[in-house]
């Protein structure tokens, strides 16, 4: 099914990402264009709608482009029957998407802010439940002749800090969804990644929550292939090679982590930086191989530390690499407070906090 | 600093005296007809004749003009980057906040969404508390920790200030249940927008309120847009007062402060006797949805200026004051001048208010003394946070 669309690309950037122009181009010789993350998402949606007549984009205000303009122009090109506004009702949006997907369609739902995904949480879980019944419970699948499937559902939603978003426009709820087997959770770090990963998500036969780092919508600009390409899910990427410590992160946090790596390098510490990309199911092997080499691990995310996905990574790596670890796994994350309005810099896992943790882990 | 405390029963506002050339002793009852009739669903509408008085009308004028000025000032502060985060302004809708207060008491509860500055002021909040909160300062009504969307005032039954669309409606039912259980003879007004009216939570709340006869009044502030979406694009039936089905409803001109007052009085009596009621306030917001919305892409400028010219709640009262010879044009202008000064002074004072202490980042997450500590990161304890402030920025 997947190969029907586009092509798979395995891009190994030599360095940097969010504003990097130095990456190996894929097999295709088609053009690349410099664009921001928002336009890359927009392009992916264009391609998705163009290549599959049974795909739909819907959500609050999406036919006008959505609050972040990611869906600009889609309604004009593909019509209001395939790109449409929903009323303000997140539970309804996702539930509707499940039904649409169960009829064999690609339902691409937008939840305006990840902070508003909670009314739909129940539906998202229902969704995986339905998926599990259909795909795991063999007898039921047999009886229905495998007719039903709600894997065509992709929920796009902007997450994370923007500098002054306050309590309800800044949260990173990815860990909640990682606790639900049957849903995939994917978070891109840059425009090129966003386009390739989103197309993979839309075409993956599993329900997926795709979190978009809204801080990077306009900020991250890079060369993006203009054609239809996909990046593999559940494949982490080493975006910076190093030998003293492994850093694991995803989304917007990676650029902060990369700055910490550069500062650590000046002090003679060689950091390996890994972009997890898919949180569930995640690529343990890549992280494991790296930690076996460096002997140290640091995980960083914006969500509060307790119960964050960093805890899962930490536990898994301790299980797999116990004898190779030379220091406790470090987690540099959001604080265990509500996302604050006035104290955002204190709350955030900033470069200095990461650098400090790198040093104390290396000198353990 | 707060709104004038003049009640519709009361006499002699100290705030008003300086502006009034003639003695406003004429608190004799005036009867004024509402702009348009009420439209009722499953109930008999109240009379269109609203009892008021000269002092009350002046209070309405002053309070609404103060709210308007405050919101315009907030707009400038936001543009000057002195207010961060999200900020939703209420100008245009003032008659709802002011008329509602005139029809109820502070023992009644109000709960609303994020467009809450003026509702807070109506509940007796001060300008200083407003501006300090907007700028994230210690003297703000939520100690600077809430910001624009999170205003509260417990003493006068204002339960805020909620950022998640629709979430406050079932909360309002909980408040009303508590009021009923403790035989308070008070009611709860739960406000929500036309956009929020499409959330499932509203219908769950309606059923609960009706099932248990709760003294809850669900107030749909229909400003006709939920962000950029016109009501008719999002609602099969934009007759929000009817959407309670078995719950009675009343459609009110929300730009007519007297109609709002009449409706809220009526609703309170009804709710205490018979349980919930929907009030649909037909109103309009002049500003865009929030500060990032110019407010002109999904509606015409003509539409906005039309409402300003024909339905503006402040202008309506100004006209009443003039035609009933209660105040002269100049006196009203003076009131507006005075208001301007009051707002500027409050802003100056708010700017002097310090930012919250960094330790406030960790307070109010849990109740102190119940064995809960804030975990800062696996590398730092709360204590180290203070020792290592250098790495925290
Ligand atoms: C659950 C949820 N979904 C989406 C949003 C984003 N949002 C904030 S206000 C708003 C529009 C609400 O419109 P309406 O209820 O009419 O109230 P108004 O802004 O007009 O006062 C939206 C979509 C939110 N805050 N919460
Ligand atoms: Mg509205």
């Amino acid at each position: 099914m997947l190969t029907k669309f586009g092509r798979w690309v395995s891009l190994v950037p030599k360095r940097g990402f969010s504003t990097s122009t130095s990456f190996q181009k894929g097999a295709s010789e088609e053009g690349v264009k410099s664009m921001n993350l928002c336009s890359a998402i927009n392009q992916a949606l264009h391609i998705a709608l163009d290549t599959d007549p049974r795909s739909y984009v819907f959500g609050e205000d999406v036919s006008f482009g959505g609050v972040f303009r990611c869906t600009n122009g889609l309604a004009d090109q593909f019509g209001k029957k395939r790109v449409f506004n929903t009323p303000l009702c997140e539970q309804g949006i996702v539930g509707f998407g499940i039904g649409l997907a169960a009829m064999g369609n690609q339902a691409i739902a937008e939840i305006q802010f990840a902070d508003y995904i909670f009314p739909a949480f129940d539906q998202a879980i229902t969704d995986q439940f339905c998926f599990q019944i259909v795909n795991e419970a063999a007898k039921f699948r047999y009886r229905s002749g495998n007719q039903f499937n709600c894997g065509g559902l992709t929920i796009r939603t902007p997450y994370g800090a923007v500098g002054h978003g306050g309590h309800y426009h800044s949260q990173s709820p990815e860990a909640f969804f990682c606790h639900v087997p049957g849903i995939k959770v994917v978070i891109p770090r840059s425009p090129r990644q966003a386009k390739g990963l989103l197309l993979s998500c839309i075409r993956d036969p599993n329900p997926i929550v795709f979190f978009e780092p809204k801080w990077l919508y306009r900020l991250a600009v890079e060369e993006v292939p203009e054609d239809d390409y996909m990046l593999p899910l559940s494949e982490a990427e080493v975006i910076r090679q190093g030998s003293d410590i492994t850093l694991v992160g995803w989304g917007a946090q990676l650029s902060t982590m990369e700055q910490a790596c550069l500062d650590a390098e000046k002090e003679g510490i060689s950091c390996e930086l890994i972009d997890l990309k898919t949180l569930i199911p995640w690529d343990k092997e890549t992280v494991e191989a790296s930690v076996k080499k460096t002997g140290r691990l640091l995980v960083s995310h914006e969500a509060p530390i307790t119960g964050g996905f960093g805890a899962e990574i930490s536990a898994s790596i301790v299980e797999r690499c116990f004898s190779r670890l030379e220091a406790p796994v470090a987690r540099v994350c959001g604080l265990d407070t509500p996302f604050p309005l006035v104290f955002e810099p204190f709350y955030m896992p900033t470069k200095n906090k990461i650098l400090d943790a790198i040093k104390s882990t290396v000198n353990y | 600093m707060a709104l004038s405390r003049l009640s519709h029963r009361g006499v002699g506002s100290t705030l008003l005296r300086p502006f009034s050339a003639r003695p406003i002793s004429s608190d004799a009852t005036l009867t004024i007809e509402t702009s348009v009739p009420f439209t009722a669903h499953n109930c008999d509408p109240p009379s269109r004749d609203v009892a008021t008085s000269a002092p009350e009308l002046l209070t309405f004028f002053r309070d609404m003009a103060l709210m308007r000025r405050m919101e315009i000032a907030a707009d400038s502060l936001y543009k000057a980057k002195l207010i961060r985060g999200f900020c939703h302004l209420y100008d245009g809708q003032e008659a709802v906040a002011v008329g509602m207060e005139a029809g109820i008491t502070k023992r009644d509860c109000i709960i609303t969404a994020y467009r809450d500055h003026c509702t807070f002021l109506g509940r007796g909040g001060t300008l200083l508390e407003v501006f300090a909160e907007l700028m994230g300062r210690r003297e703000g009504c939520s100690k600077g920790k809430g910001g624009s969307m999170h205003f509260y005032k417990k003493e006068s039954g204002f339960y805020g200030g909620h950022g998640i669309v629709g979430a406050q409606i079932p909360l309002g039912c909980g408040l009303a249940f508590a009021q009923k259980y403790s035989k308070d003879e008070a009611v709860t007004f739960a406000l929500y927008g036309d956009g929020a009216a499409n959330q499932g939570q509203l219908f769950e709340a309606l059923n609960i309120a009706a099932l248990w006869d709760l003294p809850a009044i669900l107030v749909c502030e229909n400003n006709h847009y939920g962000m950029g979406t016109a009501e008719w694009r999002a609602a099969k039936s934009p007759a929000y007062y009817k959407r309670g089905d078995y719950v009675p409803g009343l459609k009110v001109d929300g730009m007519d402060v007297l109609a709002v007052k009449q409706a809220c009085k009526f609703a309170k009596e009804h709710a205490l006797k018979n349980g919930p009621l929907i009030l649909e306030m037909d109103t309009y917001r002049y500003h865009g949805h929030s500060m990032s919305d110019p407010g002109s892409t999904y509606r015409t400028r003509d539409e906005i200026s039309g409402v300003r010219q024909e339905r503006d709640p402040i202008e309506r009262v100004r006209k009443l004051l003039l035609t009933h010879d209660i105040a002269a044009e100049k006196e009203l202008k003076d009131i507006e001048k005075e208001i301007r000064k009051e707002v500027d002074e409050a802003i100056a004072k708010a700017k002097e208010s310090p930012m919250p202490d960094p330790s406030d980042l960790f307070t109010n997450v849990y109740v102190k003394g119940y064995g809960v500590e804030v975990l800062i990161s696996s590398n730092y304890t709360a204590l180290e946070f203070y020792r290592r402030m250098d790495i925290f920025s």
Side-chain angles (χ1 to χ4, degrees):
Chain A
M1 180 215 171
L2 291 172
T3 44
K4 219 168 81 188
F5 306 101
R7 62 191 169 78
W8 290 97
V9 181
S10 194
L11 298 169
V12 188
K14 290 183 199 98
R15 88 188 115 80
F17 44 96
S18 59
T19 54
S20 165
T21 50
S22 63
F23 66 94
Q24 287 177 320
K25 259 187 70 192
S28 161
E29 286 311 309
E30 282 176 52
V32 293
K33 202 172 154 191
S34 173
M35 66 178 79
N36 62 26
L37 198 139
C38 178
S39 308
I41 299 275
N42 184 265
Q43 221 180 58
L45 293 172
H46 258 103
I47 291 169
L49 287 163
D50 199 34
T51 51
D52 187 346
R54 298 190 67 183
S55 53
Y56 304 84
V57 170
F58 51 92
E60 292 161 18
D61 283 0
V62 301
S63 77
F64 312 135
V67 289
F68 293 103
R69 326 303 310 161
C70 291
T71 53
N72 256 356
L74 297 177
D76 290 342
Q77 188 167 342
F78 300 99
K80 298 234 171 202
K81 292 211 166 112
R82 292 181 63 206
V83 180
F84 47 89
N85 290 341
T86 62
L88 206 177
C89 50
E90 288 73 13
Q91 197 175 7
I93 293 171
V94 173
F96 168 86
I98 295 167
L100 188 61
M103 297 282 276
N105 299 293
Q106 303 293 348
I108 308 166
E110 176 178 299
I111 298 293
Q112 200 172 66
F113 281 86
D115 310 65
Y116 310 149
I117 205 166
F118 298 113
F121 200 64
D122 180 43
Q123 288 290 2
I125 290 173
T126 309
D127 171 274
Q128 69 83 33
F129 190 53
C130 143
F131 176 73
Q132 265 188 340
I133 292 169
V134 172
N135 293 288
E136 317 290 13
K139 276 183 197 157
F140 188 70
R141 179 182 198 167
Y142 178 81
R143 278 200 313 252
S144 74
N146 197 22
Q147 291 173 82
F148 295 128
N149 183 322
C150 33
L153 177 70
T154 303
I155 302 168
R156 297 176 40 241
T157 190
Y159 85 97
V162 285
H164 60 110
H167 318 78
Y168 295 119
H169 296 89
S170 311
Q171 299 176 80
S172 299
E174 69 274 5
F176 290 103
F177 295 90
C178 292
H179 197 56
V180 184
I183 292 178
K184 290 190 179 183
V185 174
V186 177
I187 309 184
R189 68 169 188 270
S190 74
R192 186 158 39 87
Q193 293 289 320
K195 179 176 168 184
L197 288 171
L198 180 54
L199 280 166
S200 293
C201 288
I202 292 168
R203 292 159 180 175
D204 187 282
N206 296 286
I208 297 184
V209 186
F210 187 77
F211 288 102
E212 299 170 3
K214 60 175 170 290
W215 204 335
L216 303 184
Y217 272 146
R218 317 252 167 249
L219 222 58
V221 178
E222 73 179 339
E223 307 269 296
V224 177
E226 291 215 87
D227 65 343
D228 182 352
Y229 68 94
M230 292 185 286
L231 295 172
L233 303 185
S234 293
E235 236 178 65
E237 182 183 332
V238 178
I239 53 180
R240 186 190 159 88
Q241 309 263 357
S243 54
D244 296 330
I245 182 169
T246 301
L247 275 68
V248 175
W250 49 88
Q253 186 58 9
L254 285 163
S255 70
T256 308
M257 295 170 81
E258 193 184 45
Q259 287 163 26
C261 291
L262 291 171
D263 282 9
E265 191 172 36
K266 286 180 207 144
E267 305 193 24
I269 302 170
S270 161
C271 302
E272 182 143 307
L273 182 58
I274 297 178
D275 177 4
L276 206 55
K277 299 189 201 182
T278 303
L279 272 65
I280 282 287
W282 62 289
D283 178 1
K284 291 187 182 128
E285 288 67 32
T286 298
V287 179
E288 180 183 348
S290 172
V291 174
K292 283 194 166 144
K293 181 176 77 174
T294 63
R296 297 174 189 91
L297 173 66
L298 180 153
V299 191
S300 182
H301 54 67
E302 277 178 39
I305 184 164
T306 300
F309 197 65
E312 178 59 36
I313 296 174
S314 171
S316 300
I317 292 304
V318 170
E319 281 163 13
R320 288 170 171 239
C321 308
F322 183 71
S323 61
R324 307 289 281 271
L325 282 170
E326 293 178 41
V329 177
R331 288 180 288 157
V332 185
C333 307
L335 305 184
D336 284 338
T337 70
F339 198 102
L341 178 63
V342 273
F343 298 116
E344 182 167 324
F346 291 156
Y347 171 93
M348 292 290 281
T350 51
K351 181 192 79 175
N352 285 349
K353 285 187 205 172
I354 297 169
L355 183 62
D356 196 65
I358 289 174
K359 286 195 271 191
S360 56
T361 303
V362 170
N363 299 324
Y364 181 76
Chain B
M1 295 304 263
L3 290 185
S4 34
R5 298 264 174 250
L6 195 63
S7 86
H8 53 285
R9 278 163 262 113
V11 275
S13 157
T14 50
L15 282 164
L16 294 172
R17 249 178 230 138
F19 312 119
S20 175
R22 82 214 76 174
I24 312 178
S25 56
S26 62
D27 57 340
T29 306
L30 278 167
T31 304
I32 292 170
E33 195 177 49
T34 59
S35 55
V36 292
F38 297 105
T39 322
H41 166 69
N42 279 348
C43 65
D44 293 324
S47 160
R48 276 184 78 178
D49 293 328
V50 190
T52 182
S53 66
E56 184 181 64
L57 285 176
L58 267 165
T59 309
F60 286 163
F61 177 80
R62 188 179 193 287
D63 290 353
M64 290 195 290
L66 185 69
M67 288 174 178
R68 176 79 48 97
R69 185 66 215 157
M70 177 179 86
E71 295 296 65
I72 306 289
D75 177 276
S76 313
L77 289 172
Y78 196 94
K79 286 174 180 147
K81 288 197 180 333
L82 284 161
I83 298 174
R84 308 309 309 274
F86 283 68
C87 184
H88 308 81
L89 303 177
Y90 198 73
D91 50 319
Q93 302 182 210
E94 297 92 343
V96 178
V98 170
M100 184 168 61
E101 291 293 354
I104 65 175
T105 76
K106 298 289 186 285
R107 287 183 52 248
D108 299 309
C109 299
I110 296 181
I111 187 164
T112 187
Y114 41 82
R115 205 178 292 286
D116 59 354
H117 309 165
C118 296
T119 317
F120 171 77
L121 209 64
R123 290 264 93 180
T126 66
L127 287 173
L128 174 61
E129 287 171 305
V130 168
F131 287 115
E133 190 58 45
L134 287 173
M135 294 192 274
R137 307 301 172 99
R138 242 182 261 183
E139 279 172 89
C141 55
S142 307
K143 303 195 187 104
K145 291 172 80 166
S148 164
M149 304 201 289
H150 308 287
F151 285 18
Y152 306 87
K153 192 167 175 65
K154 197 175 176 198
E155 322 84 84
S156 49
F158 183 44
Y159 285 79
H162 296 262
I164 298 301
V165 169
Q168 74 279 10
I169 316 170
L171 267 64
C173 294
L175 301 178
F177 180 90
Q179 287 173 318
K180 182 176 168 127
Y181 191 86
S182 53
K183 301 197 167 62
D184 277 356
E185 289 302 304
V187 301
T188 293
F189 284 75
L191 283 72
Y192 58 96
D194 48 295
N198 300 314
Q199 282 276 13
Q201 300 202 52
L202 169 62
F203 300 92
E204 298 177 27
L206 276 167
N207 183 49
I208 285 179
L211 190 65
W212 299 331
D213 294 329
L214 301 181
I217 294 120
L218 307 188
V219 185
C220 178
E221 285 190 90
N222 182 6
N223 58 16
H224 306 280
Y225 296 90
M227 283 194 163
T229 304
E231 54 179 353
W232 59 270
R233 287 180 192 273
K236 178 68 186 171
S237 161
Y240 299 101
Y241 69 107
K242 283 191 195 166
R243 284 174 83 180
D245 183 15
Y246 42 81
V247 174
L250 192 69
K251 185 170 174 177
V252 183
D253 180 0
M255 304 298 268
D256 176 355
V257 65
L258 289 166
V260 174
K261 173 183 132 178
Q262 186 86 330
C264 290
K265 260 174 112 167
F266 166 83
K268 180 175 173 179
E269 278 162 30
H270 172 98
L272 285 172
K273 253 191 275 160
N274 313 309
L277 181 91
I278 295 182
L279 289 181
E280 178 186 343
M281 301 289 184
D282 178 359
T283 183
Y284 202 79
R285 70 164 151 72
Y286 293 149
H287 259 93
H289 167 74
S290 67
M291 300 312 297
S292 53
D293 168 22
S296 51
T297 51
Y298 46 84
R299 54 185 192 179
T300 61
R301 292 200 185 277
D302 284 353
E303 178 184 303
I304 306 169
S305 59
V307 175
R308 276 188 191 278
Q309 270 161 31
E310 282 154 38
R311 299 183 60 211
D312 186 85
I314 301 176
E315 293 315 308
R316 180 190 300 280
V317 174
R318 191 196 303 272
K319 230 183 269 162
L320 282 175
L321 288 166
L322 297 175
T323 51
H324 287 82
D325 204 24
I326 297 167
E329 194 102 46
K330 161 106 177 33
E331 291 168 88
L332 299 181
K333 284 253 150 30
D334 286 345
I335 292 180
E336 287 174 306
K337 237 186 255 161
E338 179 62 24
I339 281 168
R340 220 172 243 266
K341 220 176 93 202
E342 237 178 83
V343 167
D344 291 346
E345 280 166 11
I347 293 173
K349 219 163 152 207
K351 282 181 183 164
E352 281 164 26
S353 177
M355 301 293 281
D357 191 83
S359 65
D360 278 339
L361 175 54
F362 309 111
T363 58
N364 313 130
V365 181
Y366 294 106
V367 178
K368 210 172 166 180
Y370 280 73
V372 193
E373 243 187 90
V374 174
L375 179 64
I376 299 224
S377 102
S378 53
N379 300 77
Y380 316 105
T381 64
L383 260 180
E384 271 170 333
F385 170 79
Y386 300 106
R387 253 185 267 136
R388 300 296 319 276
M389 288 290 276
D390 58 317
I391 60 162
F392 273 84
S393 43

